């Protein structure tokens, strides 16, 4: 006879599980609104008060119990408590409005000298006026917060997000105060963790904080939450995609897709899921390419709202060792870029910083950029569309990730899904990269291969890549047979002959390549440091002449690769990195930039620029 547990125990268990589910769903982020910045917004950029909280006093009580998990949910800095007018004001040991302020978007490391190396919690608070309108829906949107964020509106928790480079969004309909007086509080924590993505060890500065735009998006009760409008895979005259509605009236609704300049106006009807898919002939499209970055005004309307976007149409595919852009063979003349303004070190702060970086890439003769090593700002992707630059977009699955931790994989897959969701309408993006320079091993191969499968499932129209591992043999052969390469569309690898190994620049042309895969080869990195203004001969390490000789000989050596179809040398500009501690040549900067941290072009810049001029003459004139 089995004894059932007492009813009250079963009830407690059921309620407990329900509470957990409700709790997590109540705190779950809503699916990302496509092209969120295009929705009517109230920007929350600007001056935010902040409190540095290395002991997390604003989150835990002295017994290390989280305030926001207590019965009242109160007690943390997120209450933004003010002394009452009572004679005996309560003891409150913080006050945002009398605390320092910093600019958002903006990392804290570059805004306060005492925070340059800070890793831990900083609370940020912004008060704002917004009186909600009946029948409208509201979403609080952050372009990125590095690394873990707990987010509260008017003292109530919205959720917790991990991942320092992808958008964060919570629906706040019904949570804005009727009188319009609101405040948002963020607990941002850039502490590094072994099981995080990226892990504890990287070669870039761990900039913490709210590093991209913050705004409130407004939408009608039933609105266009997502859409994709692109060319069908490998078909230059067929548009395909979908429009997804959200809200009570999402089913059976008419949605109009209008691309006036292409003579396309189509009324669609949403299905039982609120989704309308389409496949439309599009004979007269002017294709997008770096030489001719044509963008069409695309509008989607469901009666309640009209969403405008500017979308380019192109195809990208490989054929043997060739890369075909719109069916034509191309060579990807690229450069790697970090999301950092070298002139005012810190995360790129806005469109001005981004346009400066991409303008330098164009000056170099690029038609392609590798946005390393994490998702960049959505505005960067739109600029690449506008300026005609192909993009390699990447998630920070970098170096020694905790391959066997399921939560780590889930984190990586979520960041990849959010990146693809954000970038799927951008013609410039031609490559999704699932990681960089990850050490060989079965757990790593399983982890990365699963990411490849996920990327293909989400978007089969773009190339999938990763920076693979290589190994050398005493006969000076560089072997590229990393098993991860089997599942990728490109053979890409980071190769540092002449800097980390292989002798002086003049000696590296001794190497030959043995590449296992019959796929296009796009070198993801090569390069070497040079301190701008430091001159010597071609054998003087750290001099501009050494870096110049390294580029001359690298280009000679790489040109022997039959399937070479592109490259993104490391890197456009010097960038901050804590690993780089030589007091004369580095001072906390990785000096592999072709442009210095003061904007000076080094000699190697012109070496690569000339090589790209020759490649352009060969490929772009259709030879
Ligand atoms: C690695 C890595 C980069 C790093 C570079 C370097 O390949 O991918 O993130 O900055 O080499 O050592 O400078």
């Amino acid at each position: 006879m089995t004894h059932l547990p007492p009813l009250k125990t079963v009830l407690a268990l059921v309620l407990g599980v329900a509470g957990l589910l409700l709790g997590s769903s109540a705190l779950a982020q809503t699916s990302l609104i496509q092209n969120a910045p295009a929705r009517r917004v109230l920007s929350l950029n600007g001056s935010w008060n902040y409190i540095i909280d290395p002991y997390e006093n604003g989150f835990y009580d002295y017994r290390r119990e989280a305030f926001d998990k207590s019965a009242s949910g109160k007690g943390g800095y997120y209450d933004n408590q003010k002394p009452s007018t009572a004679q005996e004001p309560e003891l409150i040991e913080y006050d945002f409005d009398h605390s320092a302020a910093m600019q958002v978007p903006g990392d804290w490391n570059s805004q306060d000298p005492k925070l340059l190396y800070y890793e831990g919690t900083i609370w940020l608070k912004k008060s704002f006026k917004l009186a909600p309108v009946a029948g409208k829906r509201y979403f609080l949107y952050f372009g990125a917060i590095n690394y873990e964020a707990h987010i509260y509106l008017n003292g109530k928790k919205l959720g917790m997000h991990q991942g320092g480079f992808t958008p964060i969004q919570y629906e706040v309909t019904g949570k804005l105060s009727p009188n319009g007086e609101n405040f948002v509080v963020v607990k941002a924590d850039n502490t590094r963790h072994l099981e995080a993505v990226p892990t504890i060890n990287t070669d870039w500065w761990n900039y913490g904080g709210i590093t991209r735009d913050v705004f409130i998006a407004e939408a009608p009760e039933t609105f266009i939450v997502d859409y994709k409008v692109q060319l069908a895979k490998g078909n230059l005259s067929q548009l395909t995609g979908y429009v997804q509605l959200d809200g009570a009236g999402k089913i059976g609704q008419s949605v109009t897709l209008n691309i006036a300049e292409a003579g396309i106006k189509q009324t669609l009807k949403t299905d039982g899921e609120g989704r309308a898919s389409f496949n439309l002939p599009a004979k007269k499209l002017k294709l997008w390419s770096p030489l001719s970055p044509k963008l069409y005004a695309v509008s989607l309307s469901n009666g309640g709202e009209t969403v405008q976007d500017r979308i380019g149409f192109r195809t990208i595919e490989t054929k043997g060792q060739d890369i075909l852009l719109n069916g034509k063979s191309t060579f990807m003349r690229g450069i790697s870029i970090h999301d950092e303004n070298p002139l005012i070190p810190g995360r790129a702060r806005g469109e001005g910083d981004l346009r400066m970086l991409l303008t330098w890439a164009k000056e170099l003769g690029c038609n392609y950029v590798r946005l390393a090593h994490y998702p960049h700002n959505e505005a960067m992707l739109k600029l690449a569309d506008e300026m005609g630059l192909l993009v390699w977009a990447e998630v920070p699955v970098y170096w020694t990730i905790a391959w066997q931790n399921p939560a780590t994989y889930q984190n990586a897959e979520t960041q990849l899904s959010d990146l693809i969701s954000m970038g799927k309408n951008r013609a410039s993006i031609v490559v999704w990269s699932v990681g960089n320079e990850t050490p060989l091993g079965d757990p790593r191969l399983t982890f990365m291969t699963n990411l490849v499968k996920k990327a293909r499932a989400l978007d089969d129209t773009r190339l999938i890549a990763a920076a693979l591992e290589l190994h050398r043999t005493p006969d000076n052969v560089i072997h590229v047979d990393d098993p991860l390469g089997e599942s990728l569309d490109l053979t890409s690898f980071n190769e540092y002959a002449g800097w980390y190994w292989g002798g002086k620049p003049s000696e590296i042309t001794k190497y030959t390549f043995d590449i296992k895969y019959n796929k296009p080869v796009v070198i993801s990195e090569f390069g070497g440091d040079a301190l701008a203004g430091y001159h010597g001969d071609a054998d003087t390490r750290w001099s501009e002449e050494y870096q110049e000789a390294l580029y001359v000989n690298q280009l000679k050596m790489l040109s022997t690769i039959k399937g070479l179809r592109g490259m993104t040398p490391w890197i456009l500009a010097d960038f901050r990195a804590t690993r780089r501690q030589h007091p004369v040549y580095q001072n906390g900067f990785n000096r592999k930039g072709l442009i210095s941290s003061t904007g000076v072009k080094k000699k190697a810049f012109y070496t690569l620029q000339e090589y790209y001029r020759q490649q352009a003459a060969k490929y772009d004139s259709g030879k």
Side-chain angles (χ1 to χ4, degrees), residues 203 373 398 436-437 494 496 500 525 570 580 590 592:
D203 189 26
H373 283 293
Y398 180 99
N436 177 71
E437 224 174 59
N494 302 344
Y496 280 93
Y500 289 121
E525 290 180 32
W570 193 258
R580 308 301 176 177
N590 183 312
K592 293 187 183 69

Side-chain angles (χ1 to χ4, degrees), residues 202-204 338 370 372-373 394 398-399 436-437 467 493-496 499-500 524-529 570-571 575 577 579-580 590-592:
T202 68
D203 189 26
W204 68 79
H338 260 305
R370 177 185 182 205
H373 283 293
E394 185 161 284
Y398 180 99
W399 289 357
N436 177 71
E437 224 174 59
F493 50 89
N494 302 344
E495 170 270 303
Y496 280 93
W499 186 254
Y500 289 121
S524 37
E525 290 180 32
F526 72 81
D529 288 58
W570 193 258
I571 185 169
F575 62 94
R579 299 168 63 84
R580 308 301 176 177
N590 183 312
R591 298 282 187 202
K592 293 187 183 69

Side-chain angles (χ1 to χ4, degrees), residues 32 143-146 161 163-167 197-198 204 211-212 337-340 347 354 370-381 391-397 411-423 429 432-434:
L32 291 171
I145 303 174
N146 190 44
H161 179 274
F165 304 95
T166 43
V197 180
W204 68 79
T211 55
R212 292 182 188 154
I337 298 180
H338 260 305
D339 178 35
E340 175 172 315
R347 284 279 163 252
L354 305 174
R370 177 185 182 205
L371 300 184
H373 283 293
Y374 36 74
H376 282 223
N377 195 316
E378 186 172 3
M380 185 71 148
L381 305 174
V391 166
W392 161 308
E394 185 161 284
V395 286
V397 177
N411 182 337
E413 189 177 271
T414 301
Q415 293 191 44
L416 178 66
S417 305
D418 289 351
L419 169 62
I420 292 175
S421 172
M422 176 172 75
I429 301 178
W432 301 121
S433 165
V434 295

Side-chain angles (χ1 to χ4, degrees), residues 227-280:
Y227 58 87
K228 180 174 182 176
V229 184
Q230 289 279 283
L231 279 177
K233 184 177 173 66
N235 186 331
L236 293 174
S237 57
Q238 178 161 340
L239 278 185
T240 184
Y242 61 83
V243 185
Q244 177 68 53
L245 300 186
D246 182 289
K250 69 181 181 181
I251 295 171
Q253 253 216 28
S254 296
V255 181
T256 304
L257 165 66
N258 191 0
I259 313 177
E261 195 187 344
I264 293 172
K265 186 167 184 178
Q266 187 81 15
T267 300
L268 311 164
K269 184 76 90 176
T270 59
D271 62 15
E273 302 296 316
R275 191 182 188 89
S277 302
F278 58 87
N279 279 294
L280 302 170

Side-chain angles (χ1 to χ4, degrees), residues 19 29 70-71 148 200 264 271 295 329 370 374 388 391 550 609:
Q29 170 169 270
S70 66
E148 178 178 290
I200 203 161
I264 293 172
D271 62 15
L295 297 176
S329 181
R370 177 185 182 205
Y374 36 74
V391 166
L550 186 145
Q609 186 184 52

Side-chain angles (χ1 to χ4, degrees), residues 47-51 77 80 82 96-97 123-127 182-186 210:
S47 175
W48 286 51
N49 294 97
Y50 70 92
I51 296 170
Y77 288 176
N80 186 28
K82 299 289 172 228
F96 276 112
D97 294 334
W123 294 85
L124 297 110
K125 189 276 291 183
K126 179 77 175 178
S127 298
N182 301 281
F183 63 91
V184 57
V185 174
V186 173
I210 304 173

Side-chain angles (χ1 to χ4, degrees), residues 342-421:
L343 307 182
I344 328 165
R347 284 279 163 252
R349 292 157 187 81
E351 186 168 320
D353 287 358
L354 305 174
R355 196 176 284 276
M356 178 187 76
L357 294 168
L358 294 184
T359 303
W360 278 340
K362 296 286 277 188
E363 268 184 74
L364 186 55
C366 296
N367 63 358
Y368 166 50
V369 289
R370 177 185 182 205
L371 300 184
H373 283 293
Y374 36 74
H376 282 223
N377 195 316
E378 186 172 3
M380 185 71 148
L381 305 174
K382 290 183 174 177
L383 269 180
D385 274 7
E386 178 196 313
M387 296 172 71
L389 285 159
L390 300 163
V391 166
W392 161 308
E394 185 161 284
V395 286
V397 177
Y398 180 99
W399 289 357
T400 53
I401 293 285
W403 307 114
Q404 293 175 282
N405 181 325
T408 302
Y409 177 78
Q410 194 47 59
N411 182 337
E413 189 177 271
T414 301
Q415 293 191 44
L416 178 66
S417 305
D418 289 351
L419 169 62
I420 292 175
S421 172

